[in-house]
Amino acid sequence: MKYRSLNDKNHKVSFEDAVVRGLAPGKALYFPEEIPKLSQDFFQNLDKYSKEEIAFEAIKAFVGDEIEKNGLQEILKKTLDFEFPVVPISENTGTLELFHGPTLAFKDVGAGFMAGCLGHFVKKGNLGKITVLVATSGDTGGAVANGFLGVEGIDVVILYPKGKVSEIQEKQLTTLGQNITALEVNGNFDDCQDMVKKAFSDSEISEKRQLTSANSINVARWLPQMFYYFFAYKQLAEKKEKLAFSVPSGNFGNICAGMLAKKMGLPIDHFIASNNDNNVVTRYLKSKKYTPKPSVQTISNAMDVGNPSNFVRILELFDNEFNSLSQQLSSFSYSDDKTRKAIKEVKDKYNYVMDPHGAVGYLGLQEFLAENPEYYGTFLETAHPVKFLETVEEVIGEKVEIPASIKEAMNKEKKSFEISDYAELKDFLVQ
């Protein structure tokens, strides 16, 4: 499998090169040269496969022979060492829980898979020392830190916006030490992401460090997110209704991976991109005009993205045809007040506790189902509610049980370096 730049169709690289480089020249994203179709027999017999076997069948064409079968299977076994249950909420609604991994967030899968792939390539011995440079609006940082912790030959530098991640999220990315360094940025997530992209095109930095990114712009972070939809479909295959998935969307890597799975043949009928007040895609689907704007802070902070990087990949999946895209994708956006109200209502009515991101996904799904009752809808719970403890407990009026892993992290000492601009990041990277 070759990967081409979305800015230059003639620029093509291997899977390894795409993973190691992160971005193509000119800050462009990589995209698979072809999208394989899986057999109908495979989908009809999903119940006979383990989740590791399903993931292997889904990802193997994208990796090719660059990681041998046994090596890829071992990476998947380690990455997927937890469950992905679909929990019924009401008669026509369920939630896919993606928070049962080591940092209690959906990004554990992408981070773990990328760490396994990059670690494999480093062990081949021709890459030298690699620095993973990543921006986080919340959960990416902790997942990447955990996934890459102690991986030989790899340093990790994480940028996060000061005061704009939850206390638990901050502890997860600032307390591990070893090969993990956290940089606390005086700004928002877009500032962090802009700094990362600028660093990749800075020749002075590339002379000192070999950089790659672990944001969902990296194909090894983005692609394995398709697994969630295969795992969910296995559990939902007996449903007679059409299937819709509502995805809380920030940088749009997760929903893009789901739409890729559909292109591969997975029988999903519709997607809903559920936004908070950072709603560039909601506005695009109404106006046909894509107009990014600075991000605003919300209680669903992992979605506080004003210019989602992966949306260009979604456009590519549909050959930039607005009508084709709009037939398969809806989008709605919700304020913090509506998000809080949804958390309270679902707890009172169904005794289920959602985190703010899952609540936005729930709201988008209910709005879609109100007009399309023939669907069975699944919204994604992308993080454990404990990661937003203060918000959730205030809304539901009761305590949320804190998992042991979180208690351990909260007792550790925060270690980070504060920076204010790109010059300070550059100084850190070239020192």
Side-chain angles (χ1 to χ4, degrees):
M1 175 72 76
K2 292 292 185 182
Y3 291 80
R4 56 184 172 85
S5 165
L6 286 180
N7 284 5
D8 178 4
K9 64 182 180 181
N10 295 315
H11 174 82
K12 299 176 183 178
V13 299
S14 65
F15 176 70
E16 178 178 340
D17 284 344
V19 174
V20 172
R21 296 183 187 194
L23 283 169
K27 304 179 185 178
L29 271 62
Y30 283 113
F31 193 84
E33 192 172 32
E34 55 187 290
I35 298 174
K37 284 278 190 181
L38 298 175
S39 71
Q40 285 303 306
D41 181 69
F42 172 68
F43 294 116
Q44 290 168 2
N45 292 282
L46 274 185
D47 60 321
K48 298 177 182 176
Y49 293 90
S50 69
K51 61 180 184 292
E52 292 82 7
E53 290 170 334
I54 291 170
F56 179 79
E57 291 299 317
I59 202 75
K60 65 181 183 181
F62 294 98
V63 177
D65 58 4
E66 297 183 57
I67 300 177
E68 68 280 1
K69 180 178 180 180
N70 288 343
L72 181 56
Q73 289 174 327
E74 187 59 34
I75 290 170
L76 292 171
K77 182 179 179 182
K78 184 177 180 181
T79 299
L80 301 172
D81 188 27
F82 48 93
E83 297 305 311
F84 304 82
V86 175
V87 178
I89 300 296
S90 67
E91 186 178 350
N92 66 345
T93 300
T95 182
L96 173 60
E97 292 185 344
L98 300 178
F99 54 69
H100 295 279
T103 73
L104 309 184
F106 81 99
K107 296 178 180 181
D108 284 325
V109 168
F113 183 78
M114 183 184 170
C117 292
L118 201 53
H120 177 89
F121 296 141
V122 168
K123 284 180 182 177
K124 288 167 60 176
N126 59 349
L127 292 178
K129 190 85 169 180
I130 286 179
T131 297
V132 174
L133 182 64
V134 62
T136 183
S137 57
D139 286 329
T140 292
V144 169
N146 181 81
F148 281 91
L149 182 64
V151 177
E152 188 175 345
I154 299 175
D155 288 329
V156 178
V157 178
I158 302 169
L159 280 68
Y160 73 98
K162 180 180 176 68
K164 294 180 173 63
V165 302
S166 75
E167 183 182 5
I168 288 174
Q169 287 173 325
E170 185 175 45
K171 285 283 190 175
Q172 287 185 319
L173 63 94
T174 62
T175 60
L176 293 176
Q178 296 188 49
N179 59 328
I180 312 296
T181 301
L183 300 181
E184 192 173 0
V185 177
N186 284 305
N188 59 29
F189 171 73
D190 293 330
D191 297 323
C192 298
Q193 186 159 254
D194 288 345
M195 286 187 197
V196 167
K197 289 181 177 180
K198 192 171 182 180
F200 273 89
S201 58
D202 193 319
S203 59
E204 291 182 57
I205 294 174
S206 61
E207 288 175 5
K208 294 281 188 178
R209 291 180 184 251
Q210 183 163 348
L211 296 180
T212 190
S213 174
N215 284 93
S216 54
I217 54 178
N218 192 299
V219 295
R221 262 285 319 277
W222 166 53
L223 288 170
Q225 294 176 112
M226 76 170 91
F227 299 158
Y228 313 141
Y229 303 90
F230 287 89
F231 300 160
Y233 182 77
K234 178 181 177 180
Q235 298 171 69
L236 296 170
E238 298 303 315
K239 296 290 181 185
K240 299 296 187 289
E241 302 96 331
K242 294 181 178 179
L243 297 179
F245 280 79
S246 176
V247 186
S249 298
N251 231 356
F252 276 72
N254 193 344
I255 194 168
C256 182
M259 300 181 98
L260 177 69
K262 178 176 171 62
K263 289 284 185 180
M264 295 169 67
L266 187 63
I268 296 174
D269 299 285
H270 200 79
F271 288 90
I272 301 110
S274 296
N275 292 163
N276 57 27
D277 282 330
N278 297 280
N279 56 4
V280 59
V281 172
T282 303
R283 290 183 284 112
Y284 167 74
L285 288 175
K286 290 179 180 178
S287 69
K288 299 186 181 180
K289 295 179 181 178
Y290 189 80
T291 53
K293 63 180 182 179
S295 63
V296 296
Q297 187 173 356
T298 74
I299 60 171
S300 49
N301 65 299
M303 296 153 59
D304 293 350
V305 182
N307 186 12
S309 296
N310 284 287
F311 194 64
V312 65
R313 283 180 170 142
I314 291 179
L315 294 175
E316 185 68 20
L317 282 171
F318 291 89
D319 299 318
N320 288 279
E321 289 285 340
F322 178 87
N323 289 338
S324 298
L325 172 59
S326 61
Q327 289 173 11
Q328 295 189 28
L329 177 67
S330 301
S331 185
F332 310 101
S333 66
Y334 303 96
S335 67
D336 281 352
D337 286 344
K338 289 183 178 179
T339 304
R340 290 188 180 95
K341 186 177 179 181
I343 294 172
K344 175 67 171 169
E345 287 182 353
V346 169
K347 176 61 171 69
D348 291 346
K349 190 172 182 179
Y350 303 112
N351 196 32
Y352 186 85
V353 180
M354 303 184 297
D355 91 290
H357 304 77
V360 171
Y362 172 82
L363 285 166
L365 182 59
Q366 296 310 307
E367 186 161 345
F368 175 78
L369 292 177
E371 298 294 328
N372 300 274
E374 71 274 20
Y375 282 81
Y376 183 89
T378 304
F379 68 95
L380 274 56
E381 256 290 0
T382 54
H384 194 293
V386 76
K387 302 194 79 170
F388 307 92
L389 195 62
E390 184 176 336
T391 296
V392 173
E393 289 185 343
E394 180 183 346
V395 169
I396 67 174
E398 59 184 75
K399 293 292 185 182
V400 175
E401 185 177 352
I402 301 178
S405 61
I406 295 296
K407 290 180 181 177
E408 183 181 353
M410 294 301 288
N411 290 328
K412 292 181 179 179
E413 181 184 357
K414 168 188 167 183
K415 294 181 180 179
S416 65
F417 299 93
E418 195 167 319
I419 64 172
S420 297
D421 54 31
Y422 177 73
E424 291 181 275
L425 172 63
K426 183 172 180 176
D427 286 345
F428 177 84
L429 292 174
V430 300
Q431 66 185 357

